[in-house]
Amino acid sequence: LTRFGRVSFPHPGGCTLGKRPIDFFIDGFKALGASIKKTGSNFTAIAKNKKLIGAKFVFPMVSVTGTETLMMAAVLAEGKTVLKNTACEPEIENLSIFLNSIGAKISGAGTPMITIDGVKSLKGGEWAGMPDRIEAGTFIILGVATNSNIKVENCDTSHLDVLLTMLEKAGANLEIGKDYVIVKPSKKLKSVDITTREYPGFATDLQAPFTVLMTQAEGISLIHETIYNGRLFYTDILNQMGADITMADPHRVIVRGPAPLSGKKIYSPDIRAGMALLIAALIAKGQSTIDNIYQIDRGYYKIDGRLKALGADIKRVNT
């Protein structure tokens, strides 16, 4: 839309988890001067005179990709754009650093208000991908849950402050460096409550692995999911494996532990819950078979090979 002044695209797909409205994107494009036409499941966006115009846009709710999309759209728009109630994730700040390095003028990324002064053109550049904080956090939880001694390297631990704090409150034995975390066997885990929040709060994508961990902790913990509807339904599968989890409502579950888990034939409902069930299978006594693993593969590169390297007895089966 920014480069050509016109673009057509289908209604996006992706994970079926929760409701993923695109009204933030559509309303944001309109605020920048584009007209939107919908035909069936297709959209066409047209910028008047092939140029977007800087404007103020307030997100009704915090949206990571909405923030990133409108930030990129505004870079080449005429004039100043102010985005308010923006997401604060490290990925957004990282994107702004790259865009600024190739000629953009963005300030405030990583805060709830971002200002973009439009420029006429951008130049080429190089970008190094930042560490995946969700994968790093997941491997740390995996180490604690299996009472293993593992080292997670090449991560930015400042992105994991809330998770690491909650793990230490639960009794995890961690050595935390600037770009690594060493997980050591812990004597006993105790239950803690968590509530998911937008960054820098407890990440919703780490909620499912942490819930599995709480099945092995002593006491009662309350898991409160505030970001997505229906994200706790996987707990029924954990109960089939022997967990003691009660759903209080669609956004809250009560976990009683420790509960011995047993291997079962189960399926992955989504990326993060699928990885959580894989952790549960590593904890469980006996053999587990996990179906629908393409979602796990989307989120965790060659996960079976890396778990084998850590000593897991895991193999991929073609069915």
Side-chain angles (χ1 to χ4, degrees):
L1 177 60
T2 301
R3 178 166 294 195
F4 300 106
R6 180 187 181 101
V7 64
S8 296
F9 59 97
H11 194 288
C15 187
T16 58
L17 174 70
K19 294 182 178 179
R20 303 290 184 98
I22 64 168
D23 54 328
F24 300 158
F25 301 87
I26 300 302
D27 293 343
F29 292 150
K30 288 180 179 178
L32 294 176
S35 61
I36 309 293
K37 181 180 179 182
K38 187 174 187 295
T39 306
S41 61
N42 291 310
F43 296 86
T44 299
I46 302 172
K48 188 176 181 180
N49 298 323
K50 295 187 176 181
K51 197 73 177 178
L52 296 177
I53 306 298
K56 174 184 174 182
F57 183 76
V58 180
F59 287 92
M61 292 176 61
V62 173
S63 169
V64 175
T65 49
T67 298
E68 292 170 335
T69 298
L70 293 189
M71 188 168 74
M72 289 189 286
V75 163
L76 293 174
E78 289 183 350
K80 177 181 288 188
T81 297
V82 177
L83 304 176
K84 301 190 78 171
N85 196 29
T86 49
C88 301
E89 271 70 4
E91 291 80 7
I92 291 169
E93 188 175 6
N94 186 256
L95 174 60
S96 75
I97 291 170
F98 169 67
L99 290 174
N100 284 341
S101 75
I102 61 172
K105 293 182 179 180
I106 302 168
S107 61
T111 76
M113 186 172 83
I114 299 174
T115 301
I116 305 106
D117 291 307
V119 297
K120 291 186 177 181
S121 63
L122 300 175
K123 60 184 180 181
E126 293 184 0
W127 172 78
M130 61 179 284
D132 186 334
R133 59 192 170 89
I134 300 303
E135 187 174 64
T138 301
F139 270 94
I140 293 166
I141 294 172
L142 182 152
V144 177
T146 57
N147 211 28
S148 302
N149 194 333
I150 68 170
K151 182 178 183 181
V152 178
E153 297 180 307
N154 302 322
C155 60
D156 187 333
T157 54
S158 68
H159 296 163
L160 298 167
D161 281 339
V162 174
L163 170 67
L164 297 175
T165 296
M166 298 310 294
L167 286 174
E168 290 184 326
K169 284 185 67 175
N173 186 2
L174 307 175
E175 178 185 325
I176 303 170
K178 184 178 179 180
D179 60 356
Y180 71 89
V181 174
I182 296 175
V183 181
K184 303 174 184 178
S186 49
K187 293 180 180 179
K188 185 172 70 172
L189 296 174
K190 57 183 178 182
S191 61
V192 293
D193 300 338
I194 62 163
T195 300
T196 61
R197 296 288 184 197
E198 294 86 357
Y199 188 86
F202 195 101
T204 179
D205 285 343
L206 292 172
Q207 172 263 111
F210 198 89
T211 300
V212 171
L213 178 65
M214 287 298 96
T215 68
Q216 304 306 298
E218 189 171 296
I220 299 174
S221 57
L222 176 67
I223 310 296
H224 189 183
E225 171 58 55
T226 69
I227 307 297
Y228 289 116
N229 293 321
R231 189 151 217 188
L232 292 166
F233 293 153
Y234 71 91
T235 55
D236 284 343
I237 304 173
L238 287 177
N239 283 339
Q240 294 172 27
M241 298 178 73
D244 185 357
I245 303 174
T246 303
M247 184 165 284
D249 57 51
H251 288 276
R252 296 179 299 167
V253 293
I254 299 166
V255 184
R256 297 174 179 85
L261 303 183
S262 300
K264 294 285 183 181
K265 182 176 174 60
I266 54 180
Y267 69 95
S268 166
D270 61 68
I271 294 175
R272 309 307 177 184
M275 184 63 199
L277 293 173
L278 184 50
I279 295 173
L282 292 171
I283 297 170
K285 184 178 181 179
Q287 185 181 89
S288 293
T289 302
I290 305 177
D291 286 337
N292 205 33
I293 61 167
Y294 82 95
Q295 295 169 321
I296 303 175
D297 284 333
R298 281 176 56 203
Y300 305 89
Y301 179 70
K302 293 185 177 179
I303 186 63
D304 50 332
R306 288 189 290 161
L307 288 177
K308 275 184 182 178
L310 290 173
D313 183 357
I314 181 173
K315 64 181 178 180
R316 186 179 296 263
V317 180
N318 292 321
T319 58

